[in-house]
């Protein structure tokens, strides 16, 4: 080593019990997926800030929701995402931004509402409402705005994982497209 610091061997190598390895590997992959999603969300937000809302493309709302849900089902085996009624109409939207918003809502539904989630859409006047419903216990209406605060990870009820950025970024993306969350 030439007189430098002695090389230390990692004591953890090979010490994980075989019966714990699948669970820990799944947890590690989920953490990597979470970090990738967070990075992607922030990049989409930055890119969307440079786009004039009037220049957004036209997307079929039903096709957009179906493609996001299909991807979600493939990426999160065991998570049940059902489709409610879906309205077919053209909407002015950024496909990547809608994907990020819907993925964040589905992530929250999984964390706080269990494995069963329903996604639906409905035409309301000149707007389309995309809804994500879960079987969670919900929250008091007066706490709704607090959920969008920057870096508000968890809800104080024992679930504290996450960056606290998902709903905040999602609301910004929705508003940049002329919608809301």
């Amino acid at each position: 080593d030439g007189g430098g610091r002695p090389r230390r061997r990692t004591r953890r190598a090979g010490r994980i019990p075989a019966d714990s390895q699948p669970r820990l590997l799944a947890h590690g992959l989920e953490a990597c997926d979470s970090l990738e999603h967070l990075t992607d969300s922030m990049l989409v937000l930055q890119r969307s800030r440079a786009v004039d809302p009037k220049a957004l493309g036209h997307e079929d709302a039903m096709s957009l929701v179906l493609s996001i849900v299909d991807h979600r089902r493939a990426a999160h085996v065991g998570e049940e995402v059902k489709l409610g009624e879906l309205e077919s109409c053209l909407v002015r939207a950024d496909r990547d931004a809608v994907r990020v918003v819907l993925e964040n809502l589905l992530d929250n539904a999984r964390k706080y509402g269990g494995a069963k989630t329903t996604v639906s859409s409905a035409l309301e006047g000149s707007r389309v409402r995309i809804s994500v419903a879960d079987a969670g216990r919900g929250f008091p209406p007066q706490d709704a705005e607090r959920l969008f605060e920057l870096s508000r990870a968890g809800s104080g009820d024992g679930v504290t994982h996450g960056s606290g950025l998902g709903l905040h970024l999602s609301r910004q993306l929705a508003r940049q497209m002329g919608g809301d969350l």
Side-chain angles (χ1 to χ4, degrees), residues 121-148:
S121 68
L123 191 58
E124 295 180 354
S126 63
R127 295 178 170 261
V128 172
R129 175 184 298 271
I130 299 174
S131 300
V132 176
D134 60 52
R137 66 181 186 178
F139 51 86
Q142 65 269 20
D143 289 347
E145 283 302 311
R146 179 181 59 86
L147 300 175
F148 295 98

Side-chain angles (χ1 to χ4, degrees), residues 13 17 26-27 29 31 38 45 50 76 95 155 162 167:
H27 180 69
L29 291 172
L38 175 61
L45 178 63
H76 296 275
R95 177 176 278 277
S155 61
L167 289 177

